[in-house]
Amino acid sequence: MELRQLQYFVKVARKQHVTNAAEELHVAQSAISRQIHQLEEELGVPLFVRKGRNLQLTSVGKLFLERIEVVLADMERAVSEVREFLDPEAGEIRIGFPHSLGIYLLPTVVASFRQSHPNVKFRLRQGTYNSLIRDVMKGEIDLSFISPFPEKHLYVSGRLLLQEELYAILPQGHKLADNETIRLEQLREESFVMFSDEYSLRNIVLEACAKAGFVPRIGFEGEETDTIRGLVAAGVGVSLLPEMALTEISQLQPAKVRVIEPLVTRSVGLIQRTGDKLPLVAEMFQHFLFDHFQEN
């Protein structure tokens, strides 16, 4: 079993197509097909089945992919660690983040860190709560900002960085837009613009509304804070967003009002794979983040 076979297998599994995999890898389709065939012969089981023009993983193929992705990520990390041993200031940090932290927090801390470590590179991956935890578990990223912070998890661990308040956002012409504070119950009859199911902010809003004694009427759903903020500003509904997601000024700007009953917050933390030793450069960044949030 060769490393090249495993790399080809993972690429085809992700692309579900030999042609697309070959184009991305800059190799001939026949070379990929031959290596996949040899891998299946060595394992003694088919890893793919053809469905139309695409290839889909068999049940054994899915299991094999899950294991091999971890192995390849560990090999990539081993190579990075050797390079960082020679020069940690020229290393690469692989870090994940939810979209709501990519507007202000992530650019701020990366820029601050690079003032002292200008040659360090960052490989960034945006994702949902579950996808970020999965990527940390698989070793595809070293660290990840996460919200809410998982206090107890079998495979990831880390540290709580901050508690952030969520604000009600309303169209500028809304009757409550000029209030300094509101009770969430005052939005009972409104149409809400919400995140879709896989986003943790949706559950935070739903739980807050339940505490206020009502189930929100959902008029629109979105996947990015910019979309939700823009729809609210356009007058199609109301929502709740973290304060950091409201720092950017745009042409369509909603009114921001503090919610005092109940107080709505989210936890933000930093996680890594439990039991893992981070690459030196990632460990430097981790300590930088801990100091940064402790001071601020």
Side-chain angles (χ1 to χ4, degrees):
M1 192 175 299
E2 299 178 1
L3 175 61
R4 180 173 53 183
Q5 290 176 332
L6 301 178
Q7 291 170 331
Y8 288 0
F9 162 71
V10 170
K11 184 62 70 174
V12 173
R14 289 174 175 169
K15 293 295 181 181
Q16 297 187 344
H17 205 285
V18 173
T19 302
N20 294 343
E23 289 175 355
E24 193 160 315
L25 291 167
H26 305 291
V27 297
Q29 295 182 44
S30 58
I32 292 182
S33 297
R34 184 169 58 253
Q35 293 294 336
I36 295 294
H37 179 67
Q38 290 175 0
L39 181 60
E40 290 178 323
E41 281 194 334
E42 183 172 348
L43 291 171
V45 291
L47 298 172
F48 295 98
V49 292
R50 183 165 294 281
K51 189 169 184 179
R53 300 179 64 182
N54 292 345
L55 292 176
Q56 289 191 348
L57 288 167
T58 62
S59 57
V60 175
K62 290 178 182 178
L63 176 63
F64 190 63
L65 175 65
E66 185 177 331
R67 298 290 186 265
I68 292 305
E69 283 182 324
V70 173
V71 171
L72 292 180
D74 283 342
M75 290 183 64
E76 183 178 343
R77 177 176 296 185
V79 172
S80 296
E81 286 177 351
V82 171
R83 291 173 179 165
E84 289 162 15
F85 179 80
L86 299 174
D87 184 7
E89 290 293 339
E92 179 182 72
I93 300 168
R94 304 176 304 165
I95 188 163
F97 64 98
H99 177 266
S100 58
L101 297 181
I103 299 169
Y104 173 77
L105 185 146
L106 183 71
T108 299
V109 295
V110 167
S112 180
F113 181 77
R114 282 176 56 83
Q115 288 179 3
S116 303
H117 309 279
N119 295 321
V120 170
K121 300 178 182 64
F122 282 84
R123 190 189 304 182
L124 307 176
R125 179 173 295 189
Q126 181 179 307
T128 63
Y129 179 85
N130 289 328
S131 71
L132 291 171
I133 288 183
R134 183 189 65 237
D135 291 345
V136 170
M137 289 168 52
K138 286 184 175 181
E140 294 184 0
I141 52 180
D142 304 309
L143 297 165
S144 184
F145 290 105
I146 197 81
S147 178
F149 176 66
E151 295 286 350
K152 294 182 179 180
H153 195 284
L154 188 59
Y155 301 109
V156 301
S157 57
R159 184 185 293 188
L160 178 67
L161 298 178
L162 61 95
Q163 290 281 353
E164 183 184 19
E165 198 167 336
L166 271 67
Y167 282 74
I169 57 170
L170 316 169
Q172 289 289 351
H174 194 279
K175 62 184 179 181
L176 301 174
D178 294 329
N179 288 30
E180 289 187 9
T181 62
I182 61 169
R183 302 184 316 279
L184 189 55
E185 191 274 337
Q186 292 175 266
L187 302 180
R188 176 190 293 270
E189 303 302 324
E190 302 288 343
S191 175
F192 275 71
V193 184
M194 299 280 278
F195 281 93
S196 52
D197 286 335
E198 63 267 32
Y199 288 85
S200 58
L201 281 171
R202 178 189 180 97
N203 289 332
I204 292 174
V205 175
L206 290 175
E207 289 172 8
C209 291
K211 286 182 182 178
F214 70 97
V215 176
R217 179 165 54 89
I218 301 173
F220 295 86
E221 292 186 352
E223 297 188 350
E224 301 215 342
T225 52
D226 292 344
T227 302
I228 290 174
R229 188 176 59 187
L231 287 170
V232 171
V236 300
V238 303
S239 191
L240 271 69
L241 284 180
E243 187 173 14
M244 278 188 285
L246 300 171
T247 55
E248 188 179 15
I249 303 299
S250 59
Q251 288 183 330
L252 278 176
Q253 193 72 17
K256 165 186 163 184
V257 182
R258 188 163 184 254
V259 179
I260 58 171
E261 189 181 321
L263 184 65
V264 189
T265 64
R266 67 164 177 174
S267 58
V268 177
L270 186 73
I271 58 171
Q272 68 180 85
R273 192 161 64 176
T274 298
D276 257 14
K277 176 172 171 48
L278 290 171
L280 182 57
V281 66
E283 190 175 333
M284 288 166 50
F285 186 58
Q286 182 189 57
H287 289 308
F288 164 81
L289 291 173
F290 292 161
D291 291 342
H292 173 85
F293 285 98
Q294 189 170 354
E295 292 171 2
N296 293 279

